[in-house]
Amino acid sequence: MTRFPFTEAMPIQFQAPLPKDAEVVIIGGGIIGVTTALFLARRNISVTLLEKGRIAGEQSSRNWGWIRQQGRDADELPIVIEAQRLWRQLAEECGEDIGLKQTGVTYLARTDKEMAGFAKFLKIAEMHGVDTRLLDQGETARLIPSMSRPFKGAMTTPSDMRAEPWVAVPALARLAARQGVTIIENCAARMLDISAGRISGVWTEQGRIVTSNVVVASGAWTSLFLRAHGVSIPQLSVRSTVAATQPMPEIHSGAVADEHIAFRRRQDGGYTLASGGSSQLYVGPDAFRHARKYVPALMANPLGIRYLPAAPRGYPDSWSTPRKWNADEESPFERIRILDPAPKASALRDIDREFTALFPQFKTVPLKASWAGMIDAMPDVVPIVDRAAEIPGLVIATGMSGHGFGIGPGMGRVVSDLVQGNETGHSLHRFRQSRFSDGSPIELGPSL
Ligand SMILES: Cc1cc2nc3c(=O)[nH]c(=O)nc-3n(C[C@H](O)[C@H](O)[C@H](O)COP(=O)(O)OP(=O)(O)OC[C@H]3O[C@@H](n4cnc5c(N)ncnc54)[C@H](O)[C@@H]3O)c2cc1C
Protein backbone atom coordinates (compact mmCIF):
# COMPACT_ATOMS: atom_id res chain seq x y z
CA MET A 1 0.00 0.00 0.00
CA THR A 2 1.23 3.46 -0.80
CA ARG A 3 0.93 6.67 1.19
CA PHE A 4 -1.06 9.64 0.09
CA PRO A 5 0.75 11.41 -2.81
CA PHE A 6 0.61 14.91 -1.27
CA THR A 7 3.51 15.25 1.15
CA GLU A 8 6.13 17.87 1.84
CA ALA A 9 8.49 15.87 -0.35
CA MET A 10 6.37 16.81 -3.35
CA PRO A 11 8.09 19.48 -5.49
CA ILE A 12 6.82 23.03 -5.12
CA GLN A 13 4.87 23.98 -8.27
CA PHE A 14 3.96 27.56 -7.52
CA GLN A 15 6.73 29.77 -6.22
CA ALA A 16 6.14 33.30 -7.42
CA PRO A 17 7.98 35.93 -5.37
CA LEU A 18 5.83 37.66 -2.75
CA PRO A 19 4.50 40.85 -4.37
CA LYS A 20 4.62 44.15 -2.48
CA ASP A 21 0.85 44.48 -2.67
CA ALA A 22 -2.36 42.92 -3.97
CA GLU A 23 -5.95 44.04 -4.11
CA VAL A 24 -6.95 40.74 -2.51
CA VAL A 25 -4.91 38.20 -0.53
CA ILE A 26 -6.35 34.71 -0.14
CA ILE A 27 -5.13 32.48 2.66
CA GLY A 28 -5.44 28.82 1.74
CA GLY A 29 -4.92 26.93 -1.52
CA GLY A 30 -7.79 24.45 -1.38
CA ILE A 31 -10.73 24.38 -3.81
CA ILE A 32 -12.34 27.40 -2.15
CA GLY A 33 -9.24 29.61 -2.20
CA VAL A 34 -8.21 28.54 -5.71
CA THR A 35 -11.62 29.12 -7.32
CA THR A 36 -12.18 32.41 -5.46
CA ALA A 37 -8.81 33.59 -6.80
CA LEU A 38 -9.66 32.47 -10.32
CA PHE A 39 -12.97 34.38 -10.44
CA LEU A 40 -11.35 37.51 -8.98
CA ALA A 41 -8.57 37.41 -11.57
CA ARG A 42 -11.21 37.24 -14.31
CA ARG A 43 -12.42 40.63 -13.14
CA ASN A 44 -8.85 41.99 -13.50
CA ILE A 45 -8.35 42.15 -9.76
CA SER A 46 -4.81 41.51 -8.56
CA VAL A 47 -4.84 38.45 -6.30
CA THR A 48 -2.14 36.71 -4.30
CA LEU A 49 -2.92 33.22 -3.01
CA LEU A 50 -0.85 32.01 -0.05
CA GLU A 51 -0.58 28.28 0.68
CA LYS A 52 1.46 27.10 3.66
CA GLY A 53 2.12 23.68 2.08
CA ARG A 54 1.04 22.51 -1.35
CA ILE A 55 -2.01 23.46 -3.39
CA ALA A 56 -4.79 21.02 -2.39
CA GLY A 57 -2.50 19.28 0.08
CA GLU A 58 -5.22 18.96 2.69
CA GLN A 59 -8.97 18.28 2.30
CA SER A 60 -9.15 19.32 -1.34
CA SER A 61 -7.13 16.33 -2.52
CA ARG A 62 -8.13 13.82 0.15
CA ASN A 63 -11.87 13.84 -0.44
CA TRP A 64 -14.06 11.22 -2.10
CA GLY A 65 -14.51 13.26 -5.28
CA TRP A 66 -18.31 13.41 -5.14
CA ILE A 67 -19.92 16.42 -6.82
CA ARG A 68 -23.42 16.11 -5.54
CA GLN A 69 -26.60 18.09 -5.44
CA GLN A 70 -28.30 15.16 -3.73
CA GLY A 71 -28.94 15.54 -0.01
CA ARG A 72 -27.85 19.19 0.12
CA ASP A 73 -29.06 21.84 2.50
CA ALA A 74 -31.80 23.87 0.79
CA ASP A 75 -29.64 27.03 0.83
CA GLU A 76 -26.60 25.26 -0.58
CA LEU A 77 -28.52 23.64 -3.42
CA PRO A 78 -28.71 26.67 -5.76
CA ILE A 79 -24.97 27.22 -5.29
CA VAL A 80 -24.13 23.62 -6.05
CA ILE A 81 -26.36 23.71 -9.12
CA GLU A 82 -24.26 26.65 -10.30
CA ALA A 83 -21.13 24.72 -9.32
CA GLN A 84 -22.12 21.81 -11.57
CA ARG A 85 -22.27 24.20 -14.52
CA LEU A 86 -18.96 25.78 -13.55
CA TRP A 87 -17.26 22.38 -13.15
CA ARG A 88 -18.12 21.57 -16.77
CA GLN A 89 -16.91 24.93 -17.98
CA LEU A 90 -13.67 24.86 -15.95
CA ALA A 91 -12.91 21.27 -16.97
CA GLU A 92 -12.93 22.48 -20.59
CA GLU A 93 -10.92 25.61 -19.88
CA CYS A 94 -8.16 24.01 -17.86
CA GLY A 95 -7.26 21.78 -20.79
CA GLU A 96 -6.42 18.81 -18.55
CA ASP A 97 -8.43 15.69 -17.89
CA ILE A 98 -9.69 16.12 -14.33
CA GLY A 99 -11.86 13.00 -14.46
CA LEU A 100 -15.14 14.94 -14.53
CA LYS A 101 -17.99 12.54 -15.32
CA GLN A 102 -21.71 12.61 -14.86
CA THR A 103 -22.29 9.18 -13.33
CA GLY A 104 -24.83 9.99 -10.60
CA VAL A 105 -25.00 9.71 -6.84
CA THR A 106 -27.14 7.11 -5.07
CA TYR A 107 -28.02 6.61 -1.39
CA LEU A 108 -29.27 3.18 -0.38
CA ALA A 109 -31.89 2.70 2.35
CA ARG A 110 -32.44 -0.30 4.59
CA THR A 111 -35.40 1.16 6.50
CA ASP A 112 -38.64 3.06 5.91
CA LYS A 113 -37.24 5.81 8.15
CA GLU A 114 -34.36 6.35 5.74
CA MET A 115 -36.75 6.39 2.79
CA ALA A 116 -38.83 9.03 4.60
CA GLY A 117 -35.69 11.15 5.04
CA PHE A 118 -35.00 10.86 1.31
CA ALA A 119 -38.56 11.92 0.51
CA LYS A 120 -38.00 15.20 2.39
CA PHE A 121 -35.05 16.03 0.17
CA LEU A 122 -37.02 15.09 -2.93
CA LYS A 123 -39.33 18.05 -2.31
CA ILE A 124 -36.34 20.45 -2.17
CA ALA A 125 -34.87 18.90 -5.31
CA GLU A 126 -38.16 19.29 -7.18
CA MET A 127 -38.36 22.99 -6.23
CA HIS A 128 -34.99 23.52 -7.92
CA GLY A 129 -35.61 21.27 -10.92
CA VAL A 130 -33.00 18.69 -9.89
CA ASP A 131 -33.59 15.20 -11.30
CA THR A 132 -33.46 13.34 -7.96
CA ARG A 133 -35.86 10.40 -7.68
CA LEU A 134 -36.70 7.59 -5.31
CA LEU A 135 -36.24 3.98 -6.35
CA ASP A 136 -38.12 0.98 -5.00
CA GLN A 137 -36.50 -2.31 -4.08
CA GLY A 138 -36.53 -3.73 -7.61
CA GLU A 139 -35.26 -0.56 -9.26
CA THR A 140 -32.44 -0.38 -6.71
CA ALA A 141 -31.42 -3.96 -7.41
CA ARG A 142 -31.43 -3.26 -11.15
CA LEU A 143 -29.28 -0.14 -10.73
CA ILE A 144 -26.49 -2.08 -8.98
CA PRO A 145 -27.22 -5.71 -9.86
CA SER A 146 -24.21 -7.32 -8.19
CA MET A 147 -25.17 -6.35 -4.62
CA SER A 148 -25.61 -9.37 -2.36
CA ARG A 149 -28.57 -8.05 -0.36
CA PRO A 150 -31.85 -6.35 -1.13
CA PHE A 151 -32.41 -2.74 -0.09
CA LYS A 152 -35.70 -1.16 0.83
CA GLY A 153 -35.03 1.43 -1.85
CA ALA A 154 -32.75 4.28 -2.79
CA MET A 155 -32.53 7.93 -3.73
CA THR A 156 -30.60 8.73 -6.87
CA THR A 157 -29.60 11.86 -8.79
CA PRO A 158 -28.38 10.94 -12.29
CA SER A 159 -27.07 14.45 -13.03
CA ASP A 160 -24.59 14.35 -10.12
CA MET A 161 -20.95 14.07 -11.03
CA ARG A 162 -17.51 13.00 -9.90
CA ALA A 163 -13.97 14.24 -10.48
CA GLU A 164 -10.50 13.26 -9.30
CA PRO A 165 -9.71 15.70 -6.49
CA TRP A 166 -5.93 15.50 -6.47
CA VAL A 167 -5.85 16.07 -10.23
CA ALA A 168 -8.64 18.64 -10.44
CA VAL A 169 -7.65 21.22 -7.85
CA PRO A 170 -3.99 21.58 -8.93
CA ALA A 171 -5.26 21.82 -12.54
CA LEU A 172 -7.61 24.64 -11.52
CA ALA A 173 -4.70 26.35 -9.75
CA ARG A 174 -2.65 26.19 -12.96
CA LEU A 175 -5.59 27.75 -14.80
CA ALA A 176 -5.80 30.48 -12.14
CA ALA A 177 -2.06 31.15 -12.42
CA ARG A 178 -2.35 31.44 -16.22
CA GLN A 179 -5.14 33.95 -15.71
CA GLY A 180 -2.98 36.14 -13.51
CA VAL A 181 -3.24 34.85 -9.93
CA THR A 182 0.05 34.97 -8.02
CA ILE A 183 0.24 31.64 -6.19
CA ILE A 184 2.89 31.00 -3.57
CA GLU A 185 3.25 27.56 -2.01
CA ASN A 186 5.25 26.94 1.16
CA CYS A 187 4.29 30.41 2.31
CA ALA A 188 2.18 30.59 5.46
CA ALA A 189 0.20 33.66 6.37
CA ARG A 190 1.20 34.31 9.96
CA MET A 191 -1.00 37.25 10.93
CA LEU A 192 -3.18 39.99 9.59
CA ASP A 193 -1.73 43.48 9.76
CA ILE A 194 -4.49 45.65 11.16
CA SER A 195 -4.23 49.45 11.23
CA ALA A 196 -6.92 51.82 12.44
CA GLY A 197 -9.27 48.87 12.87
CA ARG A 198 -9.07 47.54 9.33
CA ILE A 199 -6.80 45.31 7.29
CA SER A 200 -3.68 46.97 5.91
CA GLY A 201 -1.69 43.89 5.02
CA VAL A 202 -0.75 40.29 5.77
CA TRP A 203 2.41 39.14 7.52
CA THR A 204 3.71 36.00 5.85
CA GLU A 205 6.77 33.90 6.53
CA GLN A 206 8.32 35.66 3.50
CA GLY A 207 7.52 39.18 4.69
CA ARG A 208 4.61 41.59 4.51
CA ILE A 209 2.19 42.11 1.64
CA VAL A 210 0.07 45.25 1.53
CA THR A 211 -3.63 44.71 0.97
CA SER A 212 -6.97 45.87 2.26
CA ASN A 213 -8.93 42.69 1.46
CA VAL A 214 -8.27 39.22 2.81
CA VAL A 215 -10.19 35.98 2.30
CA VAL A 216 -9.53 33.33 4.93
CA ALA A 217 -10.20 29.98 3.24
CA SER A 218 -7.88 27.98 5.44
CA GLY A 219 -9.95 24.83 5.97
CA ALA A 220 -9.22 23.13 9.28
CA TRP A 221 -6.83 25.94 10.34
CA THR A 222 -9.32 28.78 9.98
CA SER A 223 -10.56 28.99 13.57
CA LEU A 224 -6.99 28.96 14.93
CA PHE A 225 -5.98 31.77 12.58
CA LEU A 226 -9.07 33.88 13.28
CA ARG A 227 -8.99 33.43 17.04
CA ALA A 228 -5.51 34.96 17.15
CA HIS A 229 -7.23 38.11 15.83
CA GLY A 230 -10.14 38.05 18.27
CA VAL A 231 -12.62 36.37 15.88
CA SER A 232 -14.18 33.23 17.33
CA ILE A 233 -15.95 30.67 15.14
CA PRO A 234 -17.14 27.27 16.42
CA GLN A 235 -15.21 25.21 13.90
CA LEU A 236 -13.69 21.85 14.83
CA SER A 237 -11.87 19.31 12.72
CA VAL A 238 -12.74 15.66 12.38
CA ARG A 239 -10.50 12.90 11.04
CA SER A 240 -11.97 10.80 8.27
CA THR A 241 -10.34 7.69 6.76
CA VAL A 242 -10.39 6.79 3.07
CA ALA A 243 -9.10 3.86 1.03
CA ALA A 244 -8.43 3.45 -2.68
CA THR A 245 -8.56 0.08 -4.41
CA GLN A 246 -6.52 -1.17 -7.30
CA PRO A 247 -8.36 -1.16 -10.63
CA MET A 248 -11.15 -3.77 -10.44
CA PRO A 249 -14.20 -4.89 -12.42
CA GLU A 250 -16.94 -2.25 -12.58
CA ILE A 251 -19.84 -2.76 -10.16
CA HIS A 252 -21.30 0.71 -10.71
CA SER A 253 -19.96 3.77 -12.50
CA GLY A 254 -21.17 6.39 -10.01
CA ALA A 255 -21.01 7.14 -6.28
CA VAL A 256 -23.03 5.14 -3.78
CA ALA A 257 -23.46 5.13 0.00
CA ASP A 258 -25.47 3.53 2.72
CA GLU A 259 -24.93 3.81 6.48
CA HIS A 260 -22.04 1.38 6.44
CA ILE A 261 -20.06 1.86 3.24
CA ALA A 262 -19.48 4.51 0.56
CA PHE A 263 -17.84 3.81 -2.79
CA ARG A 264 -17.06 5.79 -5.92
CA ARG A 265 -15.63 4.60 -9.23
CA ARG A 266 -12.38 6.40 -10.08
CA GLN A 267 -11.01 7.24 -13.47
CA ASP A 268 -8.19 4.68 -13.12
CA GLY A 269 -10.75 1.87 -12.72
CA GLY A 270 -10.38 1.59 -8.94
CA TYR A 271 -12.87 2.56 -6.24
CA THR A 272 -12.51 5.15 -3.48
CA LEU A 273 -14.05 3.70 -0.32
CA ALA A 274 -14.98 4.81 3.17
CA SER A 275 -16.90 3.22 6.01
CA GLY A 276 -19.78 4.59 8.07
CA GLY A 277 -17.91 4.88 11.37
CA SER A 278 -14.74 6.45 10.07
CA SER A 279 -14.87 9.89 11.76
CA GLN A 280 -13.13 10.90 14.96
CA LEU A 281 -12.87 14.16 16.83
CA TYR A 282 -9.68 14.84 18.75
CA VAL A 283 -10.77 16.66 21.88
CA GLY A 284 -8.86 19.88 22.51
CA PRO A 285 -9.54 23.36 23.96
CA ASP A 286 -11.83 24.38 21.07
CA ALA A 287 -13.90 21.20 21.43
CA PHE A 288 -14.61 22.19 25.06
CA ARG A 289 -15.15 25.84 24.17
CA HIS A 290 -17.77 25.07 21.51
CA ALA A 291 -19.24 21.84 22.91
CA ARG A 292 -22.69 23.31 23.60
CA LYS A 293 -23.15 24.35 19.98
CA TYR A 294 -22.59 20.77 18.87
CA VAL A 295 -25.30 19.29 21.12
CA PRO A 296 -28.01 19.24 18.39
CA ALA A 297 -25.68 17.42 15.99
CA LEU A 298 -24.75 14.93 18.71
CA MET A 299 -28.36 14.29 19.60
CA ALA A 300 -29.30 13.75 15.96
CA ASN A 301 -26.54 11.20 15.45
CA PRO A 302 -25.05 10.13 18.79
CA LEU A 303 -22.86 7.41 17.29
CA GLY A 304 -21.72 9.40 14.27
CA ILE A 305 -18.39 10.42 15.74
CA ARG A 306 -15.85 8.76 18.04
CA TYR A 307 -13.68 10.80 20.40
CA LEU A 308 -9.97 10.73 21.00
CA PRO A 309 -8.47 12.54 24.00
CA ALA A 310 -5.83 14.58 22.22
CA ALA A 311 -4.80 15.55 18.72
CA PRO A 312 -1.27 14.84 17.50
CA ARG A 313 1.24 17.57 18.29
CA GLY A 314 0.87 20.70 16.19
CA TYR A 315 -2.69 20.00 14.97
CA PRO A 316 -5.07 22.98 14.93
CA ASP A 317 -6.83 22.01 18.18
CA SER A 318 -3.98 20.16 19.86
CA TRP A 319 -3.54 21.00 23.57
CA SER A 320 0.00 22.27 23.01
CA THR A 321 -0.61 24.32 19.83
CA PRO A 322 0.10 28.00 20.59
CA ARG A 323 -2.95 30.24 20.31
CA LYS A 324 -0.90 33.45 20.01
CA TRP A 325 2.33 34.19 18.17
CA ASN A 326 4.12 37.20 16.74
CA ALA A 327 4.44 38.12 13.08
CA ASP A 328 8.22 37.72 13.21
CA GLU A 329 8.26 34.21 14.65
CA GLU A 330 7.40 30.77 13.31
CA SER A 331 3.64 30.20 13.45
CA PRO A 332 1.72 26.90 13.90
CA PHE A 333 0.98 26.98 10.16
CA GLU A 334 4.60 26.47 9.21
CA ARG A 335 5.11 23.64 11.69
CA ILE A 336 2.60 21.44 9.88
CA ARG A 337 2.64 22.31 6.21
CA ILE A 338 0.36 19.44 5.25
CA LEU A 339 -2.10 17.89 7.70
CA ASP A 340 -1.60 14.22 6.91
CA PRO A 341 -3.36 12.24 9.63
CA ALA A 342 -2.80 8.50 9.79
CA PRO A 343 -5.77 6.48 8.53
CA LYS A 344 -7.60 4.62 11.29
CA ALA A 345 -6.76 0.91 11.12
CA SER A 346 -10.19 -0.22 12.35
CA ALA A 347 -11.90 1.94 9.70
CA LEU A 348 -9.86 0.15 7.03
CA ARG A 349 -10.97 -3.20 8.47
CA ASP A 350 -14.60 -1.98 8.43
CA ILE A 351 -14.21 -0.96 4.78
CA ASP A 352 -12.94 -4.42 3.86
CA ARG A 353 -15.69 -6.17 5.83
CA GLU A 354 -18.57 -4.04 4.56
CA PHE A 355 -17.48 -3.95 0.93
CA THR A 356 -16.88 -7.69 0.68
CA ALA A 357 -20.20 -8.36 2.46
CA LEU A 358 -22.04 -6.29 -0.12
CA PHE A 359 -20.01 -7.64 -3.05
CA PRO A 360 -18.98 -11.19 -2.02
CA GLN A 361 -17.60 -11.83 -5.49
CA PHE A 362 -14.55 -9.97 -4.14
CA LYS A 363 -12.96 -12.12 -1.46
CA THR A 364 -10.93 -9.18 -0.22
CA VAL A 365 -10.57 -5.53 -1.21
CA PRO A 366 -7.35 -5.03 -3.18
CA LEU A 367 -6.24 -1.76 -1.58
CA LYS A 368 -3.70 0.43 -3.32
CA ALA A 369 -3.56 3.32 -0.83
CA SER A 370 -5.18 4.62 2.33
CA TRP A 371 -5.15 8.02 3.94
CA ALA A 372 -7.14 10.37 6.14
CA GLY A 373 -8.15 14.01 6.05
CA MET A 374 -9.27 16.53 8.67
CA ILE A 375 -12.76 17.78 7.80
CA ASP A 376 -13.52 21.35 8.91
CA ALA A 377 -16.85 20.87 10.66
CA MET A 378 -19.49 23.37 11.79
CA PRO A 379 -22.22 22.74 14.40
CA ASP A 380 -25.01 23.01 11.80
CA VAL A 381 -23.10 21.29 8.96
CA VAL A 382 -23.12 24.36 6.70
CA PRO A 383 -20.25 26.82 6.17
CA ILE A 384 -19.56 30.39 7.13
CA VAL A 385 -19.40 32.57 4.03
CA ASP A 386 -19.51 36.14 5.22
CA ARG A 387 -17.69 39.39 5.87
CA ALA A 388 -16.20 39.27 9.37
CA ALA A 389 -18.08 41.71 11.56
CA GLU A 390 -15.02 42.45 13.71
CA ILE A 391 -12.50 43.35 10.99
CA PRO A 392 -13.45 45.39 7.91
CA GLY A 393 -11.83 43.96 4.80
CA LEU A 394 -11.90 40.37 6.06
CA VAL A 395 -14.04 37.68 4.40
CA ILE A 396 -14.44 34.22 5.92
CA ALA A 397 -15.12 31.22 3.65
CA THR A 398 -14.78 28.06 5.69
CA GLY A 399 -16.44 25.17 7.48
CA MET A 400 -17.56 23.37 4.33
CA SER A 401 -18.34 20.47 6.70
CA GLY A 402 -17.34 17.57 4.50
CA HIS A 403 -19.00 18.68 1.28
CA GLY A 404 -16.98 21.61 -0.05
CA PHE A 405 -15.38 19.92 -3.04
CA GLY A 406 -18.48 19.62 -5.19
CA ILE A 407 -19.80 23.05 -4.33
CA GLY A 408 -16.30 24.55 -4.55
CA PRO A 409 -16.45 26.46 -7.87
CA GLY A 410 -19.91 27.83 -6.97
CA MET A 411 -18.67 29.01 -3.60
CA GLY A 412 -15.54 30.45 -5.20
CA ARG A 413 -17.65 32.50 -7.59
CA VAL A 414 -19.89 33.66 -4.72
CA VAL A 415 -16.95 34.61 -2.49
CA SER A 416 -15.29 36.53 -5.32
CA ASP A 417 -18.43 38.68 -5.63
CA LEU A 418 -18.73 39.06 -1.87
CA VAL A 419 -15.19 40.45 -1.76
CA GLN A 420 -16.02 42.94 -4.50
CA GLY A 421 -19.21 44.06 -2.80
CA ASN A 422 -21.31 42.77 -5.72
CA GLU A 423 -24.63 40.96 -5.57
CA THR A 424 -23.71 37.34 -4.94
CA GLY A 425 -26.73 35.91 -6.75
CA HIS A 426 -27.70 33.61 -3.86
CA SER A 427 -28.85 34.32 -0.33
CA LEU A 428 -25.96 33.95 2.10
CA HIS A 429 -28.13 34.50 5.19
CA ARG A 430 -27.87 30.82 6.19
CA PHE A 431 -24.07 31.12 6.10
CA ARG A 432 -23.75 34.30 8.20
CA GLN A 433 -21.10 34.39 10.89
CA SER A 434 -23.46 35.95 13.47
CA ARG A 435 -25.75 32.90 13.64
CA PHE A 436 -23.50 31.49 16.33
CA SER A 437 -23.52 34.60 18.53
CA ASP A 438 -26.91 36.32 18.06
CA GLY A 439 -28.98 33.74 19.92
CA SER A 440 -30.23 32.00 16.75
CA PRO A 441 -31.07 28.34 17.34
CA ILE A 442 -28.77 25.85 15.64
CA GLU A 443 -30.62 24.67 12.51
CA LEU A 444 -29.03 21.40 11.55
CA GLY A 445 -28.33 20.87 7.88
CA PRO A 446 -29.00 17.44 6.40
CA SER A 447 -26.80 14.58 7.46
CA LEU A 448 -27.63 12.73 4.26
C1 LIG B 1 -12.14 12.28 3.70
C2 LIG B 1 -12.91 13.39 3.09
C3 LIG B 1 -13.91 13.13 2.16
C4 LIG B 1 -14.63 14.18 1.57
N1 LIG B 1 -15.48 13.91 0.54
C5 LIG B 1 -16.08 14.92 -0.13
C6 LIG B 1 -16.84 14.69 -1.30
O1 LIG B 1 -16.93 13.58 -1.79
N2 LIG B 1 -17.46 15.74 -1.88
C7 LIG B 1 -17.35 17.00 -1.39
O2 LIG B 1 -17.99 17.91 -1.94
N3 LIG B 1 -16.56 17.27 -0.34
C8 LIG B 1 -15.91 16.27 0.29
N4 LIG B 1 -15.09 16.52 1.35
C9 LIG B 1 -14.96 17.88 1.82
C10 LIG B 1 -14.06 18.71 0.94
O3 LIG B 1 -12.86 18.03 0.67
C11 LIG B 1 -13.78 20.03 1.65
O4 LIG B 1 -14.98 20.62 2.10
C12 LIG B 1 -13.08 21.02 0.74
O5 LIG B 1 -11.97 20.44 0.13
C13 LIG B 1 -12.66 22.23 1.56
O6 LIG B 1 -11.89 23.06 0.77
P1 LIG B 1 -11.18 24.32 1.42
O7 LIG B 1 -10.51 25.03 0.32
O8 LIG B 1 -12.17 25.05 2.25
O9 LIG B 1 -10.15 23.72 2.48
P2 LIG B 1 -8.82 22.85 2.29
O10 LIG B 1 -8.86 22.02 1.10
O11 LIG B 1 -8.60 22.18 3.58
O12 LIG B 1 -7.73 23.96 2.04
C14 LIG B 1 -7.29 24.85 3.03
C15 LIG B 1 -5.84 25.18 2.74
O13 LIG B 1 -5.43 26.27 3.55
C16 LIG B 1 -4.05 26.11 3.84
N5 LIG B 1 -3.74 26.95 5.00
C17 LIG B 1 -4.24 26.86 6.25
N6 LIG B 1 -3.76 27.84 7.04
C18 LIG B 1 -2.92 28.59 6.25
C19 LIG B 1 -2.13 29.75 6.50
N7 LIG B 1 -2.10 30.35 7.71
N8 LIG B 1 -1.38 30.23 5.48
C20 LIG B 1 -1.41 29.65 4.24
N9 LIG B 1 -2.16 28.55 3.97
C21 LIG B 1 -2.91 28.03 4.97
C22 LIG B 1 -3.95 24.61 4.12
O14 LIG B 1 -2.63 24.16 4.01
C23 LIG B 1 -4.90 24.02 3.08
O15 LIG B 1 -4.23 23.62 1.91
C24 LIG B 1 -14.37 15.50 1.98
C25 LIG B 1 -13.36 15.78 2.90
C26 LIG B 1 -12.62 14.74 3.44
C27 LIG B 1 -11.49 15.04 4.39
Side-chain angles (χ1 to χ4, degrees):
M1 274 225 287
T2 56
R3 282 196 60 197
F4 194 69
F6 284 60
T7 66
E8 282 184 45
M10 200 175 129
I12 292 174
Q13 249 192 79
F14 302 94
Q15 47 187 339
L18 185 73
K20 282 198 173 48
D21 55 49
E23 286 172 88
V24 182
V25 172
I26 296 176
I27 304 175
I31 181 90
I32 303 297
V34 165
T35 53
T36 300
L38 175 63
F39 290 112
L40 283 167
R42 288 183 171 178
R43 298 280 178 89
N44 293 322
I45 291 172
S46 69
V47 191
T48 292
L49 174 63
L50 305 171
E51 168 50 56
K52 66 179 171 59
R54 301 293 182 277
I55 288 294
E58 298 193 345
Q59 296 176 85
S60 291
S61 57
R62 290 159 194 272
N63 66 70
W64 301 353
W66 295 32
I67 300 176
R68 67 175 170 87
Q69 305 156 98
Q70 176 161 300
R72 286 276 174 178
D73 185 90
D75 290 282
E76 283 187 354
L77 190 54
I79 305 177
V80 83
I81 291 171
E82 179 180 347
Q84 299 257 23
R85 184 176 54 74
L86 291 170
W87 269 114
R88 286 201 179 84
Q89 193 181 310
L90 295 173
E92 290 269 310
E93 287 174 22
C94 71
E96 299 179 48
D97 185 357
I98 61 169
L100 187 73
K101 284 203 163 60
Q102 185 186 318
T103 45
V105 160
T106 301
Y107 293 166
L108 304 167
R110 296 185 189 214
T111 63
D112 288 329
K113 195 173 162 209
E114 286 171 281
M115 287 303 287
F118 295 169
K120 279 190 199 152
F121 177 73
L122 200 64
K123 290 204 182 100
I124 300 172
E126 276 165 5
M127 272 164 51
H128 292 274
V130 177
D131 58 346
T132 304
R133 55 198 168 86
L134 299 186
L135 306 182
D136 64 20
Q137 184 169 329
E139 289 168 320
T140 305
R142 282 192 292 281
L143 184 70
I144 313 168
S146 53
M147 292 191 297
S148 64
R149 70 185 307 281
F151 283 86
K152 182 96 10 232
M155 173 164 75
T156 193
T157 304
S159 61
D160 276 347
M161 301 192 289
R162 58 173 161 106
E164 303 306 333
W166 62 76
V167 181
V169 182
L172 294 177
R174 284 187 283 276
L175 175 65
R178 287 198 296 278
Q179 301 201 345
V181 178
T182 302
I183 303 182
I184 315 175
E185 290 180 319
N186 237 32
C187 183
R190 288 177 171 169
M191 292 192 75
L192 301 174
D193 194 1
I194 298 174
S195 321
R198 65 164 298 133
I199 289 175
S200 57
V202 176
W203 289 106
T204 82
E205 61 182 300
Q206 294 180 18
R208 179 172 178 266
I209 174 167
V210 173
T211 190
S212 44
N213 296 290
V214 170
V215 177
V216 184
S218 309
W221 299 89
T222 309
S223 56
L224 179 68
F225 185 87
L226 291 178
R227 203 175 158 74
H229 299 87
V231 179
S232 174
I233 61 165
Q235 178 194 47
L236 300 177
S237 39
V238 172
R239 178 175 71 158
S240 183
T241 295
V242 189
T245 73
Q246 306 280 2
M248 54 197 287
E250 182 167 305
I251 45 177
H252 182 67
S253 62
V256 180
D258 78 346
E259 270 196 327
H260 302 275
I261 187 83
F263 55 94
R264 194 263 299 173
R265 182 79 167 165
R266 282 195 320 276
Q267 196 178 24
D268 66 0
Y271 281 88
T272 294
L273 308 176
S275 69
S278 66
S279 300
Q280 300 92 44
L281 175 75
Y282 294 111
V283 176
D286 287 349
F288 276 101
R289 189 174 290 125
H290 302 303
R292 278 185 36 215
K293 296 202 162 55
Y294 282 84
V295 170
L298 282 175
M299 283 168 56
N301 188 8
L303 301 176
I305 286 194
R306 308 280 150 79
Y307 299 90
L308 296 168
R313 201 176 170 73
Y315 273 39
D317 193 25
S318 161
W319 291 98
S320 58
T321 298
R323 263 58 187 179
K324 286 269 175 203
W325 51 88
N326 294 317
D328 59 357
E329 64 188 14
E330 192 189 42
S331 69
F333 314 109
E334 292 137 86
R335 290 191 199 129
I336 296 201
R337 295 211 177 261
I338 299 182
L339 261 180
D340 185 17
K344 189 182 172 207
S346 65
L348 296 174
R349 286 194 296 275
D350 291 347
I351 287 171
D352 189 83
R353 193 188 57 245
E354 296 294 341
F355 193 75
T356 51
L358 193 56
F359 299 104
Q361 61 271 41
F362 304 112
K363 299 283 170 263
T364 182
V365 186
L367 288 191
K368 164 166 129 179
S370 63
W371 64 87
M374 298 301 288
I375 291 178
D376 57 341
M378 298 303 291
D380 48 6
V381 212
V382 291
I384 294 180
V385 181
D386 201 357
R387 299 182 158 280
E390 299 86 343
I391 306 173
L394 177 63
V395 165
I396 304 171
T398 196
M400 300 291 146
S401 300
H403 45 264
F405 175 69
I407 204 170
M411 277 298 183
R413 202 282 300 153
V414 164
V415 176
S416 75
D417 277 312
L418 187 64
V419 174
Q420 296 170 77
N422 298 339
E423 267 300 314
T424 57
H426 304 292
S427 168
L428 299 184
H429 181 74
R430 174 88 167 112
F431 313 123
R432 71 200 184 283
Q433 179 198 3
S434 64
R435 69 188 192 269
F436 299 114
S437 54
D438 64 5
S440 302
I442 300 283
E443 274 178 52
L444 267 190
S447 59
L448 291 175

